[in-house]
Amino acid sequence: MSHPPLEALSALVDGELTPGEARPVRAHVNACPACRADLSLLARLDDQLRLIPSLTCGEAARLLSATFDDEAAPEERSLIERHLAGCQECRSVAGAWTAIDRAIVGRVVYPSPKVDRAMAALTAPPPAADPLSWAPGLPLRAGLAGALAIAIVIVASLAGAPAADPRQAAAPPGRALFAGRQLALHERTNTLYVVQPEAGLVRALDATTHEERTVVRVGGRPSALALDQRGDRVIVLDAEARTLTEIDVTDNRVVGRTQLDLEETPTGVQFDEATRKILVTTVAAPPGQTPAGPDAVSSPGHVAVFNAGTKEREQFVPVDAAPRVVVTEPDGSRTLLVTSEATTLVDGSYRRKETFRGGVSAAFGAGGRIAVLSRDGTDALLTFHGERAPGSLRLPGAPAAVVGLRDGRFAVLVEADGGGRIFVIDSTGRPAGEVPVGLVGDLAYDANAQSFTVSSGGTVARPVPMPAGAAIAGQGTPAPTPAESPALAPSEAPPATEPSPSPTPEPASSPTVR
């Protein structure tokens, strides 16, 4: 038997082989105990090499600042990532800085051409003039005028002034669209798992209190996760590296890492409990374009179906648009593929059944009802589909996420007034209550505690109780009034062509909540 060289095994561990190169090496390793032992040794050695010297909190603070300013060298980034993995206090500081940076970046607008010309004129060298035109106060007045022009631009952006530059007006919503789930609740252990992409971590929190239980270092840049509830596994996707990492929830340790047999770029991951398959959505982004770009969202994509045990790819199903969010019905009979333009309902063989207009997020509810959350101007539009589905509902704010509750209701997260707001929608399609939250991102619901969790980029808000008046009697803890709700915690087969699209109700007939 011809064994692959150690260089090939090392390249496999480091994710440096193409799918075509990796396939025969993996096949040999699976059949050869000696090479499997060598591969395990190389993986342990790789982990040891990552154990770089630790930092004090004071040293970490300086490197953290350089990292946020994009001035840190690669080796310095590795140092700060290791320190953050073991220091809750510094993670809290990093989380707060991340939230502030995101808030500032999200509100910056481009100045108008008129302001551009005015600022250029202020910084241009003065033309030659007669000596009598000079006065000692002129440079100071020019400096003040420049500062005033910059201040006007900043104040206008913070006040929500419309973008004058057409590039800004054409930009996608951004924060209202997620590359898969970034948090998930493991019910048996009452543990909430949250990806922290920049630090290469997955955080394990107590689902009720959000106290940190442990931090699992997965390396790379984890972008999404899914849960195998029965198998007690957390499945973590690294879209850039095209890898899946598995975490055992019993002791929160990494138990496997798989290089995916994919040429396209992954966008999200979901676990189908009924079929015991791992679903990975992909997009073929043009050279130089990231999958998060607006063109990628509307590009054709695929759903790659992997065997949960062997991680071998079993199906590669084309879909009309590359989904960014994948939601599977508990019995595995249907799946929702969500893009910013449409939400496609597919059956258990991933053949298209219906297409609904619009989509930022979607969820299944009791009795097979479906809720699709999309953008309608400056508002969020929630549309219902299924037997005896109510009319659509317009909510104030930018759409972020929707989840189904076990009692047949839905919860919707929107961004409004500089923060977030969660609406609980009853079975008639009307709001049953609302509560503010200091963060906008991915949304999860803990049925036992009757509370919500919101996370974004690894930052997690404190548990948000069910709004007053919307709690179910006899379940969970009493819900406070909205004014008492906690503030942000710096945290710690080909498709079928026969079915016709199902139209969304016209917005004009939608009731509006103000």
Side-chain angles (χ1 to χ4, degrees), residues 65-121:
S65 176
T67 299
F68 273 88
D69 293 337
D70 202 24
E71 297 173 352
E75 57 272 17
E76 293 173 327
R77 290 180 179 272
S78 297
L79 284 169
I80 191 61
E81 287 177 4
R82 173 165 173 76
H83 181 82
L84 290 176
C87 180
Q88 183 172 339
E89 183 176 350
C90 287
R91 282 200 304 277
S92 297
V93 173
W97 286 7
T98 298
I100 292 171
D101 279 358
R102 188 179 294 111
I104 293 174
V105 171
R107 293 185 175 274
V108 170
V109 300
Y110 291 96
S112 68
K114 182 178 180 180
V115 173
D116 281 339
R117 289 192 298 270
M119 294 180 69

Side-chain angles (χ1 to χ4, degrees), residues 119 195 206 272 314 374 417:
M119 294 180 69
V195 295
D206 183 288
D272 190 333
E314 297 181 345
S374 58
D417 302 325

Side-chain angles (χ1 to χ4, degrees), residues 374-410:
S374 58
R375 180 181 295 270
D376 183 23
T378 60
D379 292 337
L381 184 67
L382 187 66
T383 56
F384 303 93
H385 307 273
E387 188 176 354
R388 292 194 297 273
S392 57
L393 173 68
R394 185 178 286 106
L395 297 168
V402 58
V403 294
L405 310 185
R406 289 182 177 176
D407 57 3
R409 299 182 296 177
F410 294 92

Side-chain angles (χ1 to χ4, degrees), residues 120-204:
L122 289 171
T123 58
D130 66 83
L132 295 178
S133 66
W134 179 88
L138 183 59
L140 177 60
R141 289 196 298 271
L144 288 173
L148 179 60
I150 295 172
I152 289 172
V153 173
I154 295 175
V155 171
S157 69
L158 293 178
D165 191 295
R167 295 170 298 175
Q168 180 73 7
R175 278 184 296 174
L177 191 63
F178 297 95
R181 298 281 292 174
Q182 296 188 325
L183 78 163
L185 170 64
H186 187 263
E187 298 174 350
R188 185 181 64 79
T189 59
N190 196 43
T191 304
L192 192 69
Y193 290 90
V194 185
V195 295
Q196 196 159 5
E198 299 302 330
L201 307 174
V202 174
R203 301 173 59 214

